Amino acid sequence: MSHLLAVAPALPGPPRSQQEILDVVAPLVAAGDARTEALARRLHAGCGVRTRHLALPLERYGEVRDFGQANDLYLELATELAARAAADALDRAGLSAQDVDLVFLTSVTGVGAPSVDALLVDRLGLRRDVTRVPSFGLGCAGGAAALARTHDHLTGHPHDVALVVSVELCSLTLQPDDPSPANLVASGLFGDGAAAAVLVGDDHPAAAGTTGPRVVAVGSRLYPGTADHLGWRVGASGFRIVLSAGLPDVVRAGVAADVEGLLAAHGRKPGDVTRWVVHAGGPRILDAVQDALGLPADALDASRASLADVGNLSSASVLHVLDRTLRAGTPAGSPGVLLAFGPGVGLEMVLLEWSTGGHGC
């Protein structure tokens, strides 16, 4: 098994109100068309988002018109934000950068070679022999997948310390002059942010007596015939969002059987779960999860609060929800399920269990 010692979120700049962002973004995406701008305003109002954090000052988004320019900004700003989250997570865990054996990076809003995880080695003071696993393409499922693949590593390397880092600057993928419904929704839904988590294997000294959860099991599912529901189309202007109105139906049709199967393998059922940590993908995604699993009305409150406060942070979203859940406290022996959906359409699941009481992490 693996043990979660700490989670640390990081956000750029001050919170910006949805209205403040809308006043700048709507004219950019509408390309001067009044009806499109009015539609953008209606869609933004229905996203369930009150505030978001952005990597750039609002007035600079009209200047970013080139993929290369946007990606250069990503590498600079994402590295800085990721380093802040990672340093905070290590500090919360009571460990140093020299203790880290594995770094798993997930991001889908920029690319680099060397990747951000390599840039973090000098920035954080990580060891030169640290194992690095950079991941691109998991999208919003990336945070959950990173925890799951890190758990797999720690199961085979029980003395190790692993650092998970997720960083997304979704605002740098904004497509000006693109009035498509998907772009209009995305411009109101996604925010910028990072998060880091520190995990250790069973045989690491820090695993003894931790008040954080342990990872009991993980699971993945890819739904066939859904590749056109979620993802990117990459072109000269950068990343163009693929976001289908049918995505909630895909979630609603598949999630219950998959979650029930993961739980049943460990003698559990959905009614036993006291903490649901679900990627804040949007109101309709959260409604689909809640309806399919028959969850109580307040089961996804942490996800809805995260969505309202910071928007959908893609791969970092589920880690922000996890941080909220940990800070709220969890009863001893409680099982928890962490879920996130990404391109494919894919589902990543992590079964957690708190062996002791307390706030932890």
Side-chain angles (χ1 to χ4, degrees):
M1 287 188 208
S2 60
H3 302 260
L4 181 67
L5 299 187
V7 179
L11 296 163
R16 303 283 189 180
S17 72
Q18 188 77 324
Q19 185 61 51
E20 185 182 6
I21 296 171
L22 179 62
D23 289 342
V24 172
V25 168
L28 287 176
V29 296
D33 183 82
R35 287 194 300 178
T36 301
E37 184 170 337
L39 175 59
R41 292 182 181 277
R42 290 198 300 274
L43 291 172
H44 283 215
C47 282
V49 179
R50 290 194 303 264
T51 56
R52 285 180 282 164
H53 293 249
L54 304 179
L56 293 177
L58 269 169
E59 63 271 14
R60 290 192 58 190
Y61 283 96
E63 304 168 6
V64 182
R65 296 277 175 162
D66 175 81
F67 186 18
Q69 181 189 9
N71 201 66
D72 286 346
L73 287 166
Y74 165 85
L75 287 172
E76 174 191 351
L77 300 173
T79 303
E80 179 181 335
L81 193 62
R84 176 151 60 92
D88 286 350
L90 287 167
D91 184 61
R92 293 184 184 191
L95 296 172
S96 75
Q98 288 287 299
D99 294 319
V100 176
D101 301 293
L102 170 77
V103 177
F104 192 111
L105 172 81
T106 183
S107 186
V108 76
T109 49
V111 294
S115 48
V116 168
D117 53 290
L119 302 177
L120 290 177
V121 173
D122 283 340
R123 182 72 68 95
L124 295 174
L126 297 166
R127 297 198 318 264
R128 297 295 173 177
D129 66 344
V130 69
T131 299
R132 297 183 296 108
V133 183
S135 169
F136 178 91
L138 290 164
C140 296
L147 293 176
R149 301 293 77 77
T150 298
H151 167 73
D152 292 341
H153 172 89
L154 292 172
T155 299
H157 300 80
H159 293 91
D160 278 8
V161 174
L163 175 65
V164 167
V165 181
S166 167
V167 59
E168 303 289 10
L169 303 186
C170 303
S171 67
L172 293 178
T173 70
L174 177 71
Q175 296 292 308
D177 305 331
D178 176 5
S180 67
N183 190 49
L184 298 184
V185 170
S187 67
L189 178 63
F190 289 93
D192 297 343
V198 178
L199 299 93
V200 296
D202 262 343
D203 294 340
H204 190 279
T210 178
T211 58
R214 61 192 179 111
V215 179
V216 176
V218 300
S220 302
R221 177 70 67 182
L222 195 63
Y223 300 119
T226 62
D228 59 348
H229 282 278
L230 182 63
W232 294 126
R233 289 195 178 95
V234 184
S237 63
F239 298 125
R240 289 184 175 270
I241 189 74
V242 175
L243 186 61
S244 165
L247 179 59
D249 294 332
V250 174
V251 171
R252 186 175 280 106
V255 67
D258 293 324
V259 171
E260 288 167 1
L262 179 71
L263 289 169
H266 296 273
R268 304 280 194 176
K269 54 186 183 299
D272 299 325
V273 176
T274 62
R275 295 294 182 269
W276 292 92
V277 182
V278 180
H279 149 243
R284 294 182 64 211
I285 296 296
L286 295 175
D287 288 347
V289 172
Q290 191 152 2
D291 293 346
L293 290 165
L295 302 182
D298 62 350
L300 303 185
D301 280 359
S303 298
R304 296 185 192 278
S306 182
L307 179 66
D309 289 347
V310 299
N312 181 347
L313 302 178
S314 189
S315 70
S317 173
V318 76
L319 298 178
H320 276 247
V321 177
L322 179 58
D323 174 64
R324 284 177 179 267
T325 303
L326 295 170
R327 286 189 285 112
T330 305
S334 293
V337 172
L338 184 146
L339 302 174
F341 301 88
V345 171
L347 167 64
E348 292 290 334
M349 303 174 286
V350 179
L351 176 59
L352 303 168
E353 186 172 70
W354 280 261
S355 56
T356 60
H359 293 262
C361 298

